[in-house]
Amino acid sequence: MFLDDEIAESRTRRNEARWGMYLALAALAACIVMILGLMTQASAQTANARPEQMAGYVRPDDMGTGALLFPSKEPGYFVEAPRLATDVQIDVNGPVMRTRVTQRFQNPSKGWVEGTYVFPLPDDSAVDTLKMQIGDRFIEGQIKPRQAAKEIYEQAKAEGKKAALLEQQRPNLFTNQVANIGPGETVVVQIEYQSGVRQSNDAFSFRFPMVVAPRYNPQPIVQTVDLDSRSGYAVSDPVPDRQKIEPPVLDPRENAKINPVTLTINLKAGFPIAEVTSAFHEIDTATIDQLSRRITLKAGSVPADKDFELSWKAVEGKSPYAGLFRETIGGKTYLLSFVTPPATATETDKPVRREVVFVIDNSGSMSGPSMEQAKESLALAISRLKPEDRFNVIRFDDTMTVHFPDLVEATPDKRENAIAFVRGLTADGGTEMLPALEAALRTQGPVASGALRQVVFLTDGAIGNEGQLFEEIQTNRGDARVFTVGIGSAPNSHFMTKAAEYGRGTFTLIGSESQVAARMGELFTKLESPVMTDISATFEGAATGDITPNPMPDLYRGEPVVLTAELDGIAPEGKLRIVGKAGDQPWRVEMDIAKAANGEGIAKLWARRKIDDLEASASAIADPATLDRQIETVALAHHLVSRVTSLVAVDATPSRPAGENLTATDVPLNLPAGWDFGKVFGEKPNATDKVDEREASAESQTKLAMLTADRMLAAPTARAAGLIAEANNQVNLPQTATEADKQILIGLMLLAFALVAGSTFVFWRGQIVALVTSGGRRHGR
């Protein structure tokens, strides 16, 4: 029996060796198959991703300077956004300006990109020229209906051709898209526009905006509706184009300012110049002659983070009282007229009793210097009220407070109480402006007999739902007049000017605390003086012309009557007659058309203002398509960008090789000077934190959306500018159908089989050994 046991044990050992070899072979096969699968996958990715494409991606740790990085689908790899530099040349000829903006889009990556740049222009800009430079060639842009221009651009982009598309998002907000910028390449795009010089009292000025301030966009409104006895939902979005007006913004706490701008101004005032000043930038001024100056930036270039403002005054006694200019194009004559009513016309009038509703914005975008400017301005305005006046104060962010239950008399104690309330305000939260405007126009009771109701708005206007506010002013203004005070380094001038125009008031811009006293003093003079009303213009001895603006706005002391007109014929005769009332006193002036001086660009200004008139009449036109056709007709005839027309330029020769990926990226912007990034976007949490918007309250939805955007801007290292993790901006890496996944799966299955078999063998061996041992004991072992 001992021999039998030894034979059994020997057989067992041989079986163990054989099974061990089988298991080892199975495990080895599994590993080989998995390694082959991984090698196949890596080989396929490498074979299908060309070296220049792989080199187009970067890691944050590779960056030596601040740059906006867009994430790819390859974990840890990013694509650099295009960089931008801008040169600006402004030629001022009397009351008309011609501006050329040269934008240089540089692609710092080694891949092909499409850059989108959101930028501001003056709200009265008549944009008529787009040129794209390819080597030594310039491609001239053509004006097209907006949808047609977009289709031309998209087709050129798909075909690998360089193309540029200039679109208007607001009258003062434009986007420029440039497709197929090659690795390390710079594409130059030039934009030109016509605009007018502003006059107030004895000062002439213009403002060139340099940066788009982040805008607060109220959330879409969802309403329940009944259709055929069934319930449904209707969604109304107050900012339907929100994606187009929300460019990425760099956090100045982590990154150097970008987008440098150079400026050159050739000033030909048309009268002897006494002084030239710049409120927010240091300048060098060279005297050409008594009537002309050349102005440049003392620093050479500046980052695009605040508006540039230039003012000039005439030598005492030489400021023009009136002017008439004309331009003949296409068989028609276009006129530009300005007349400054004499201030003495109102000196004998008695001041009116006023009811003033002050509305102050204390949202997050107003934090820092803007809030201090606004509080100082409002405190000064309240202190100027007379005891017989009545007033109230409304403050708003994403909530609202009406300080007094009703209008109160401006007694010393009430004024002090209101000033204390104003000085205690802090800036935070969103910018829900509409409820505050509604409260100012609708809830303050009827206007007292013999009184004048005035609504004074102090804000930076950093909103995207301007249309809602304009409609509210036009619909519910009643007898009130709306005045706007633009605060900060980059106010929304479109909102400021149009709100004042629709409200038959005026607007004031304050960009620094040093301007508060002077600018508010000018505003007080206008608020406390009788308005010039019933202004109209007619032609005597000449064919009736199309005059803009129509209707003519009210004017305040020191403001000129400025109008443009279109007349048939190339040499019209007759006179232009302007009449109005200053208080109770009639006022009138006549100008001889034949004596008008020659001017350039007047036709463009007329067309731009004609489009503004049409936009303002939207509520009176039942069919929106009819309004769009009227605007399109004017814009196409004068080669202007508008809400319904765009400029598109396409190079005929493809430059991007077939098969090369094209990455869409946005050009990042600076935060406007003086703004607090944390107040606008929220303090940065951990980049891995998640936000559940469903848990947010209704009043904080927009603030939460901005916070979410800021979390997407959070960089993994301090040297990276930020990350925008939007699906439509992600880079699609090459994908190829291979056997890799199948091979890896087979390898895993073989490995699992080896493990199961090994476990079974161990169990079986234990059973055999137990049997042999028990048998040995029974035989006396």
Side-chain angles (χ1 to χ4, degrees):
M1 296 304 294
F2 287 110
L3 181 61
D4 290 340
D5 291 343
E6 290 176 0
I7 292 172
E9 287 189 34
S10 176
R11 185 181 297 115
T12 299
R13 285 194 293 271
R14 287 198 301 271
N15 287 335
E16 287 177 357
R18 187 181 300 112
W19 274 99
M21 181 180 68
Y22 292 157
L23 291 174
L25 289 173
L28 179 61
C31 292
I32 291 173
V33 173
M34 290 178 65
I35 291 171
L36 286 173
L38 292 171
M39 290 175 65
T40 302
Q41 187 179 58
S43 176
Q45 289 179 340
T46 303
N48 288 277
R50 282 170 287 277
E52 63 268 25
Q53 285 182 316
M54 296 298 291
Y57 304 124
V58 297
R59 291 179 181 271
D61 289 338
D62 299 332
M63 304 304 297
T65 60
L68 184 71
L69 302 181
F70 289 88
S72 71
K73 289 183 178 178
E74 180 71 10
Y77 285 91
F78 304 86
V79 177
E80 284 188 75
R83 296 169 185 166
L84 183 79
T86 304
D87 298 324
V88 181
Q89 179 176 314
I90 302 174
D91 296 322
V92 181
N93 289 289
V96 180
M97 298 165 46
R98 182 72 179 178
T99 302
R100 175 186 296 169
V101 180
T102 302
Q103 299 170 344
R104 291 178 169 82
F105 292 85
Q106 181 190 8
N107 175 12
S109 75
K110 296 182 181 180
W112 291 79
V113 301
E114 174 194 23
T116 299
Y117 177 47
V118 182
F119 63 100
L121 290 178
D123 57 282
D124 65 340
S125 300
V127 182
D128 61 357
T129 299
L130 171 68
K131 295 178 182 179
M132 181 172 58
Q133 185 178 3
I134 310 296
D136 295 331
R137 298 177 294 122
F138 273 93
I139 311 299
E140 189 83 22
Q142 299 298 314
I143 195 73
K144 300 286 183 182
R146 184 167 184 145
Q147 185 57 36
K150 183 70 171 178
E151 291 172 358
I152 293 171
Y153 173 81
E154 292 294 336
Q155 181 177 351
K157 180 175 72 173
E159 294 173 351
K161 299 175 181 177
K162 283 186 171 57
L165 177 67
L166 180 64
E167 294 182 305
Q168 175 186 304
Q169 308 304 336
R170 300 287 189 278
N172 68 329
L173 187 60
F174 295 77
T175 55
N176 197 1
Q177 290 177 264
V178 182
N180 295 311
I181 309 175
E185 188 176 28
T186 297
V187 173
V188 179
V189 176
Q190 282 190 348
I191 299 164
E192 296 185 24
Y193 65 87
Q194 206 81 6
S195 58
V197 170
R198 187 186 179 204
Q199 180 185 352
S200 180
N201 295 317
D202 59 346
F204 299 80
S205 66
F206 71 81
R207 196 176 181 107
F208 178 77
M210 289 191 184
V211 64
V212 176
R215 299 195 177 195
Y216 179 94
N217 297 317
Q219 293 298 297
I221 301 169
V222 180
Q223 296 176 320
T224 303
V225 296
D226 293 326
L227 298 172
D228 299 329
S229 301
R230 294 175 297 173
S231 294
Y233 295 96
V235 179
S236 175
D237 193 346
V239 194
D241 60 348
R242 63 181 66 232
Q243 296 298 326
K244 295 183 178 181
I245 62 173
E246 294 180 336
V249 178
L250 294 186
D251 186 344
R253 298 172 299 186
E254 295 184 359
N255 305 281
K257 294 178 180 179
I258 57 172
N259 300 344
V261 178
T262 63
L263 270 166
T264 300
I265 300 101
N266 298 311
L267 173 61
K268 296 181 180 178
F271 52 78
I273 301 172
E275 63 177 2
V276 178
T277 59
S278 172
F280 314 124
H281 296 83
E282 293 186 351
I283 58 174
D284 287 327
T285 303
T287 300
I288 307 302
D289 56 42
Q290 209 176 14
L291 311 181
S292 306
R293 301 288 189 275
R294 180 180 176 84
I295 298 101
T296 56
L297 293 168
K298 184 179 289 293
S301 67
V302 295
D305 66 346
K306 57 185 173 184
D307 294 354
F308 175 84
E309 183 180 270
L310 191 75
S311 301
W312 59 97
K313 292 185 177 182
V315 172
E316 188 174 355
K318 298 294 184 179
S319 184
Y321 159 74
L324 183 63
F325 302 84
R326 71 177 177 182
E327 180 182 34
T328 301
I329 292 180
K332 293 187 176 183
T333 297
Y334 296 88
L335 300 177
L336 169 65
S337 171
F338 71 89
V339 182
T340 304
T344 55
T346 63
E347 287 180 353
T348 59
D349 294 319
K350 296 180 180 179
V352 296
R353 185 160 51 94
R354 297 187 298 138
E355 298 179 342
V356 189
V357 182
F358 297 105
V359 184
I360 183 170
D361 178 354
N362 69 307
S363 63
S365 65
M366 291 284 290
S367 63
S370 294
M371 195 69 237
E372 296 307 313
Q373 294 163 22
K375 291 196 293 186
E376 183 65 25
S377 299
L378 182 49
L380 197 56
I382 294 172
S383 68
R384 288 278 296 256
L385 292 171
K386 298 179 174 60
E388 60 269 21
D389 296 332
R390 296 199 301 162
F391 79 107
N392 206 341
V393 177
I394 300 173
R395 70 103 215 141
F396 72 93
D397 44 34
D398 47 24
T399 62
M400 180 186 69
T401 302
V402 181
H403 186 52
F404 297 115
D406 298 296
L407 289 169
V408 297
E409 292 183 352
T411 56
D413 60 323
K414 295 295 185 184
R415 294 200 302 267
E416 290 176 8
N417 178 279
I419 290 173
F421 169 71
V422 169
R423 294 199 186 281
L425 295 176
T426 58
D428 200 5
T431 314
E432 290 290 351
M433 191 178 294
L434 183 59
L437 181 60
E438 290 173 341
L441 296 178
R442 302 187 193 184
T443 67
Q444 299 303 302
V447 180
S449 177
L452 177 64
R453 175 73 55 85
Q454 297 171 333
V455 176
V456 181
F457 236 91
L458 297 95
T459 177
D460 56 16
I463 51 162
N465 61 323
E466 295 99 329
Q468 282 187 314
L469 299 165
F470 296 154
E471 183 178 355
E472 173 65 21
I473 294 172
Q474 289 177 301
T475 304
N476 296 304
R477 181 181 63 84
D479 294 328
R481 300 185 186 279
V482 178
F483 297 78
T484 54
V485 181
I487 300 292
S489 60
N492 181 356
S493 61
H494 169 55
F495 169 74
M496 301 298 168
T497 55
K498 299 308 290 186
E501 181 179 321
Y502 294 146
R504 303 190 78 80
T506 188
F507 72 96
T508 303
L509 295 177
I510 296 175
S512 66
E513 290 190 55
S514 63
Q515 293 182 319
V516 169
R519 297 283 170 93
M520 290 302 291
E522 293 177 9
L523 178 61
F524 298 148
T525 300
K526 296 172 181 179
L527 290 171
E528 296 165 2
S529 302
V531 65
M532 179 169 287
T533 59
D534 301 334
I535 300 172
S536 63
T538 57
F539 291 98
E540 180 182 348
T544 301
D546 192 334
I547 299 174
T548 66
N550 184 24
M552 297 292 292
D554 294 341
L555 295 179
Y556 294 81
R557 183 178 296 180
E559 295 183 336
V561 179
V562 180
L563 62 85
T564 58
E566 179 191 59
L567 296 173
D568 290 329
I570 60 173
E573 298 180 351
K575 294 183 179 181
L576 171 64
R577 176 181 295 170
I578 303 173
V579 299
K581 291 173 61 178
D584 295 330
Q585 301 297 315
W587 177 83
R588 165 177 162 174
V589 66
E590 291 183 348
M591 309 177 78
D592 193 339
I593 297 175
K595 295 181 180 179
N598 291 327
E600 294 184 1
I602 297 172
K604 303 284 187 184
L605 291 181
W606 174 86
R608 173 73 261 174
R609 294 181 181 183
K610 179 65 176 178
I611 291 172
D612 286 345
D613 286 349
L614 290 171
E615 294 282 17
S617 66
S619 59
I621 299 177
D623 181 17
T626 299
L627 172 64
D628 290 351
R629 284 194 297 271
Q630 292 176 357
I631 295 173
E632 183 180 295
T633 298
V634 177
L636 292 178
H638 293 270
H639 209 259
L640 294 184
V641 176
S642 69
R643 179 175 55 82
V644 298
T645 55
S646 303
L647 279 167
V648 61
V650 176
D651 187 16
T653 305
S655 59
R656 176 168 54 90
E660 290 279 4
N661 285 341
L662 180 67
T663 304
T665 66
D666 294 333
V667 176
L669 305 182
N670 293 313
L671 190 72
W675 283 43
D676 185 325
F677 192 94
K679 290 285 189 177
V680 177
F681 293 101
E683 294 299 331
K684 286 189 176 181
N686 191 320
T688 60
D689 287 352
K690 294 182 180 179
V691 177
D692 187 352
E693 292 190 18
R694 292 172 297 180
E695 298 178 358
S697 63
E699 69 177 12
S700 63
Q701 280 293 317
T702 303
K703 185 178 178 182
L704 178 59
M706 297 178 76
L707 175 59
T708 305
D710 182 47
R711 293 186 182 189
M712 290 190 292
L713 279 167
T717 69
R719 286 179 292 168
L723 310 177
I724 303 295
E726 298 178 10
N728 61 340
N729 280 334
Q730 288 182 338
V731 181
N732 293 316
L733 293 177
Q735 301 294 323
T736 303
T738 70
E739 296 293 322
D741 293 342
K742 182 178 178 181
Q743 290 169 342
I744 293 172
L745 180 60
I746 291 172
L748 289 172
M749 291 175 66
L750 286 172
L751 187 59
F753 170 76
L755 291 172
V756 172
S759 299
T760 303
F761 172 73
V762 170
F763 174 78
W764 172 81
R765 181 183 181 280
Q767 295 297 316
I768 294 297
V769 170
L771 288 172
V772 170
T773 302
S774 63
R777 290 198 184 99
R778 285 196 302 270
H779 289 85
R781 290 193 62 178

